[in-house]
Amino acid sequence: MLKVASYNMRKAVGTDRQRRPERILEVLNEIDADIVALQEADRRFGTRAAVLTPHLLSEHSDYQAVPVAIRAASMGWHGNVLLVRKSAEILACTPVHLPALEPRGAVSADVRLGRHTIRVVGMHLDLSGLWRRRQAKAVLDHLADGNPMPCVMMGDLNEWRGAGGCLKDFARDHAIAETGPSFHAQRPVGRLDRIIVSPQLTITDCGVHMSPSARVASDHLPIWATIR
């Protein structure tokens, strides 16, 4: 069994408008997932510095960041970060360029946890439905161009519809976890955050993490799934 989670952390700015990265780590420690996809983990302008500094991550969590950052001060690629257990082995990793009018990207890693190897993609898709579908195709093309292995895709898809659009594209050959609404954190109505798995994997349980800490740490609630 493997537990994964996805969290748009909004640069650690909570619903109280305070930037407190330690609250994000508190929420992640509550979830206790093996692999986490973060969105909006780097500041947007300037050096795009990481909000969760290496010191914070090392001292207050059991995670390591997958090293896909291109900018020296960043942790991820266009704000997308993958965290894995410190005990996990990162076999390969790469940023994934997505077609977009505004900066968008995804990150991909092959990770070994115990005797299991899995490919993970974290992404944050566009506000425009047309560009979301183009970006979904780019992610699926990336997965098709390489050795087939069990795969999890997760992130903030910005898709308000329950079906159609990019969800239709992902669901053609993959299963989408029924995690529930995750946005807005204080009154969740939108299922913007999604976890998607390849046919080799089975979703055994899933949900939205609704702890008091999660309701204030970001404007999104984290989602999670356990996978066999």
Side-chain angles (χ1 to χ4, degrees):
M1 301 293 291
L2 182 73
K3 188 173 186 180
V4 299
S6 180
Y7 193 12
N8 184 329
M9 54 177 279
R10 197 196 186 191
K11 305 172 186 65
V13 177
T15 54
D16 58 1
R17 300 184 181 180
Q18 296 183 39
R19 189 189 306 277
R20 293 180 57 190
E22 65 274 9
R23 290 192 300 203
I24 299 298
L25 291 175
E26 178 183 348
V27 173
L28 295 182
N29 289 334
E30 290 173 352
I31 300 169
D32 195 29
D34 299 294
I35 302 174
V36 180
L38 296 176
Q39 303 86 50
E40 298 191 28
D42 294 335
R43 295 175 186 260
R44 186 168 185 178
F45 301 108
T47 60
R48 300 186 183 177
V51 176
L52 296 176
T53 64
H55 171 76
L56 273 175
L57 197 63
S58 174
E59 293 294 321
H60 299 286
S61 80
D62 185 41
Y63 293 112
Q64 58 177 316
V66 172
V68 296
I70 294 175
R71 292 173 178 262
S74 299
M75 180 178 285
W77 169 246
H78 291 305
N80 292 284
V81 169
L82 292 174
L83 302 180
V84 299
R85 299 277 193 196
K86 290 177 181 177
S87 59
E89 183 181 359
I90 301 167
L91 303 177
C93 59
T94 185
V96 180
H97 296 265
L98 300 182
L101 290 176
E102 61 175 329
R104 293 285 177 178
V107 289
S108 175
D110 296 346
V111 180
R112 179 178 292 141
L113 286 150
R115 56 191 178 88
H116 301 291
T117 301
I118 190 169
R119 178 163 293 160
V120 187
V121 175
M123 55 189 160
H124 190 183
L125 302 190
D126 206 277
L127 296 173
S128 160
L130 174 62
W131 285 101
R132 279 197 300 273
R133 296 200 71 173
R134 292 174 178 173
Q135 291 163 359
K137 182 180 185 302
V139 170
L140 292 169
D141 287 348
H142 166 75
L143 294 177
D145 185 21
N147 295 327
M149 68 175 65
C151 176
V152 177
M153 297 173 281
M154 48 188 173
D156 180 355
L157 304 193
N158 271 317
E159 183 64 73
W160 283 88
R161 291 174 291 179
C166 70
L167 292 178
K168 181 179 179 181
D169 301 326
F170 284 120
R172 188 172 296 116
D173 298 308
H174 299 78
I176 301 176
E178 294 293 334
T179 52
S182 55
F183 180 85
H184 186 278
Q186 294 186 334
R187 184 176 294 179
V189 294
R191 299 188 179 207
L192 304 186
D193 304 285
R194 298 283 184 164
I195 295 173
I196 306 161
V197 304
S198 63
Q200 304 100 314
L201 302 172
T202 300
I203 299 165
T204 61
D205 197 8
C206 62
V208 180
H209 186 72
M210 297 186 182
S211 72
S213 297
R215 288 189 179 275
V216 70
S218 171
D219 61 347
H220 285 245
L221 294 168
I223 61 172
W224 59 271
T226 53
I227 296 167
R228 184 175 64 243

